[in-house]
Amino acid sequence: DAKTTQPPSMDCAEGRAANLPCNHSTISGNEYVYWYRQIHSQGPQYIIHGLKNNETNEMASLIITEDRKSSTLILPHATLRDTAVYYCIIYYNFNKFYFGSGTKLNVKP
Amino acid sequence: DAGVTQSPTHLIKTRGQQVTLRCSPKSGHDTVSWYQQALGQGPQFIFQYYEEEERQRGNFPDRFSGHQFPNYSSELNVNALLLGDSALYLCASSFGLAGQETQYFGPGTRLLVL
């Protein structure tokens, strides 16, 4: 399983951008980077995914470094409702999702 | 459009018993994956079903088994329950096509084994 490394926790002020890093130095060329979040033991919620290029959707932006060994999830204007555990996952072609321990993001007023 | 649904929401069993959990995938999805999430940990992959067959399996004993029906819904069965099987069990659905594997999760079933 391709492994990821994330900080266990991060704080962010409400209204500011939250930048969540992820290291995935063993990623292969055809493996995707996926991000999910889990709010208070609900089912994980899909956020965004990418292969090589940076991606943006209504929830977040994903920045992948040129060597693809790390990525950053950006929540542009964090709100209290964004407080959750964020998981960075490497995935390819029906291989199982490996979640890891994730980053607990605390958004503070 | 209903998302992924799971039943029951909560369940209490005793050691040695057997349990069956159910999952209905998101409309149009044909692949179902099951995960176990112990308290304070990330979800761990149990297995994945596609075209009514187990396609991938994680590091779980044979006490964990599953089934997928022609309508793509799925069941997770756990035999001879242990205290350590207490967890949140998550179901996720996706398309069975390469490049469309984004998984969408249900709310989970919380199992407590006493």
Side-chain angles (χ1 to χ4, degrees):
Chain A
D1 296 327
K3 298 294 176 62
T4 60
T5 303
Q6 299 178 254
S9 66
M10 294 182 62
D11 292 335
C12 179
E14 189 177 20
R16 303 298 294 269
N19 296 276
L20 293 93
C22 179
N23 288 320
H24 31 79
S25 58
T26 60
I27 192 171
S28 299
N30 50 8
E31 290 179 323
Y32 286 82
V33 180
Y34 272 78
W35 283 83
Y36 282 79
R37 72 181 182 184
Q38 189 171 28
I39 299 173
H40 195 48
S41 291
Q42 298 176 18
Q45 178 188 22
Y46 167 75
I47 301 173
I48 198 168
H49 74 283
L51 183 63
K52 297 180 181 178
N53 300 320
N54 298 338
E55 302 287 345
T56 296
N57 63 20
E58 65 278 4
M59 289 183 67
S61 294
L62 173 61
I63 308 298
I64 303 174
T65 58
E66 191 169 345
D67 63 7
R68 302 205 334 115
K69 293 185 176 181
S70 66
S71 60
T72 301
L73 177 74
I74 301 172
L75 307 178
H77 305 287
T79 70
L80 298 178
R81 291 184 298 177
D82 292 322
T83 292
V85 178
Y86 288 76
Y87 295 99
C88 168
I89 300 163
I90 304 304
Y91 180 78
Y92 167 69
N93 198 23
F94 310 120
N95 199 355
K96 45 192 176 288
F97 272 23
Y98 178 80
F99 272 80
S101 300
T103 295
K104 176 68 190 310
L105 176 67
N106 299 300
V107 180
K108 300 184 176 182
Chain B
D1 176 23
V4 179
T5 60
Q6 293 185 243
S7 63
T9 56
H10 295 82
L11 202 54
I12 300 175
K13 292 286 187 179
T14 58
R15 281 179 298 175
Q17 284 189 313
Q18 178 264 345
V19 68
T20 297
L21 309 181
R22 295 175 178 82
C23 172
S24 291
K26 185 177 171 67
S27 178
H29 285 180
D30 58 6
T31 302
V32 173
S33 302
W34 287 93
Y35 294 80
Q36 180 196 65
Q37 186 173 23
L39 198 61
Q41 299 183 15
Q44 292 193 29
F45 177 80
I46 303 175
F47 42 53
Q48 182 181 84
Y49 277 84
Y50 172 68
E51 292 189 342
E52 302 181 47
E53 292 191 358
E54 185 181 290
R55 179 161 63 179
Q56 292 273 357
R57 189 177 181 93
N59 188 26
F60 279 80
D62 292 343
R63 298 187 297 110
F64 290 78
S65 63
H67 188 77
Q68 186 178 34
F69 299 94
N71 67 354
Y72 308 119
S73 67
S74 177
E75 289 182 347
L76 164 66
N77 301 293
V78 187
N79 295 322
L81 284 167
L82 305 174
L83 296 180
D85 294 331
S86 295
L88 179 68
Y89 288 85
L90 295 159
C91 168
S93 73
S94 56
F95 286 111
L97 294 174
Q100 299 187 52
E101 303 97 324
T102 298
Q103 296 189 10
Y104 295 88
F105 285 79
T109 293
R110 187 162 296 281
L111 173 65
L112 178 61
V113 181
L114 302 176

